[in-house]
Amino acid sequence: MSSENPTAPADAALRRAAKPTIVYPASTMPRPDMAVLEAARHTMVKIHEVVVPPRNARAFRLSRGQFFRIVSIEGPQVGDLNLWNADDLSERFFSGKTRALHATHVGAGDRLWSTMPYVRPMVTISHDTLGWYGWDSDGAGIHDVIGTRCDPYTNLLLSGTGYDFCCHSNLSRALAAELKVEPCGVEHHIHDVLNVFMCTGFTKDTHQYFMKASPVRPGDFIEFFAEIDLLGALSACPGGDCSATHSSDVAACYPLKVEIFEPDRTTLGTWTWPSPSEYHRRHGTPA
Ligand SMILES: [Zn+2]
């Protein structure tokens, strides 16, 4: 913000003293039955895996009821995740609403929600080996839904140079390969991501988005339960562990692995599969 702020009104202190209210209290949120997921995940067997090379991305598909893990292998590495309804790319992960419903960073028990007019959980986070991290003394946490994704347009704007292996481009190439089209024909489907394993926050003085070295180590994983049939894409960010730089070939980068699991379906017998929102969509016009 500008340092030349207008003169404060006489009741400025009183206005600032208004009590914060949680916009979406946890008590109003439908909660997933984690005991059912815990029982299911103990029966699951791996049926597929995809290795995402550094500074690149790969697409993957799974059915509702399956689980997938994003696994750190070889070295600390941040991943940028996109999710779509496998049958309708217009339903995709809604980072902003997920942030509003849960928090700036997500973990086990939280859900990744889809865009309007669907607004339903696409996945529930069923396990997170970095759940111990919590909030550090800088106010940072893991797995953020506040960043967008590194991209060549912002890079050109800020540095004047072109770089082709930002997460936006990686995800565009992966989706294009999956759909057998050119990247420029699908990049409008790429959306704000879940920053997997990324350690971020806002500075306390200027409230600027910051990143610091990810605490992820090989063997760590975050695991998701698919609530609908999914098409996913994961980029191994050119920022590596995002300790210093991104959008270049400077940082040390490592692959990530996506593992897909099938549980014993009888353990999910009581699970309620989410339907698209039942809002009538008249938006105030006559019925
Ligand atoms: Zn990136």
Side-chain angles (χ1 to χ4, degrees):
M1 279 194 293
S2 165
S3 57
E4 297 173 37
N5 286 331
T7 307
D11 64 346
L14 195 63
R15 296 193 203 181
R16 286 195 176 108
K19 289 267 182 295
T21 299
I22 298 294
V23 177
Y24 298 112
S27 59
T28 65
M29 292 275 290
R31 301 301 300 172
D33 188 339
M34 298 303 286
V36 170
L37 294 190
E38 199 57 33
R41 59 189 301 274
H42 279 101
T43 68
M44 65 190 190
V45 291
K46 187 160 75 174
I47 57 170
H48 187 54
E49 66 176 41
V50 178
V51 172
V52 181
R55 296 188 169 83
N56 212 329
R58 290 288 185 270
F60 55 94
R61 291 179 183 270
L62 69 162
S63 307
R64 78 176 192 185
Q66 293 180 331
F67 292 78
F68 74 97
R69 285 180 182 173
I70 298 173
V71 188
S72 170
I73 52 174
E74 298 188 24
Q77 174 65 44
V78 161
D80 284 47
L81 177 69
N82 267 193
L83 293 173
W84 298 267
N85 178 333
D87 302 315
D88 176 6
L89 297 192
S90 74
E91 183 177 9
R92 61 194 197 183
F93 169 49
F94 192 173
S95 164
K97 189 59 76 179
T98 299
R99 182 190 324 135
L101 288 169
H102 294 292
T104 53
H105 300 69
V106 292
D110 292 335
R111 294 165 136 175
L112 304 187
W113 296 80
S114 67
T115 43
M116 293 179 256
Y118 311 100
V119 192
R120 58 176 163 174
M122 304 180 83
V123 296
T124 296
I125 301 174
S126 50
H127 198 79
D128 173 19
T129 66
L130 290 171
W132 56 267
Y133 192 89
W135 306 103
D136 66 26
S137 58
D138 293 313
I142 313 297
H143 312 305
D144 89 54
V145 283
I146 47 180
T148 60
R149 68 273 190 188
C150 58
D151 74 272
Y153 303 98
T154 307
N155 198 44
L156 187 63
L157 176 75
L158 300 182
S159 74
T161 58
Y163 182 68
D164 291 330
F165 301 97
C166 286
C167 290
H168 177 82
S169 296
N170 298 344
L171 293 166
S172 296
R173 288 197 313 282
L175 183 62
E178 178 70 18
L179 302 180
K180 299 181 172 54
V181 292
E182 293 299 314
C184 64
V186 294
E187 70 170 310
H188 61 284
H189 290 300
I190 306 303
H191 48 278
D192 286 350
V193 300
L194 171 64
N195 278 304
V196 176
F197 303 141
M198 194 166 180
C199 186
T200 59
F202 293 106
T203 57
K204 288 170 185 167
D205 49 355
T206 59
H207 293 243
Q208 286 174 290
Y209 186 43
F210 73 82
M211 60 186 191
K212 55 191 280 186
S214 172
V216 70
R217 296 294 180 267
D220 278 321
F221 64 88
I222 183 170
E223 183 188 277
F224 306 85
F225 173 69
E227 301 270 5
I228 62 173
D229 293 348
L230 290 172
L231 170 60
L234 180 71
S235 169
C237 182
D241 70 356
C242 287
S243 57
T245 62
H246 59 84
S247 305
S248 72
D249 279 335
V250 173
C253 284
Y254 302 95
L256 290 167
K257 189 155 70 172
V258 177
E259 297 179 327
I260 296 171
F261 298 84
E262 175 70 40
D264 175 350
R265 295 276 174 158
T266 61
T267 60
L268 298 171
T270 59
W271 198 258
T272 304
W273 303 105
S275 299
S277 172
E278 292 177 355
Y279 174 62
H280 51 64
R281 300 186 67 195
R282 291 193 292 276
H283 302 291
T285 57

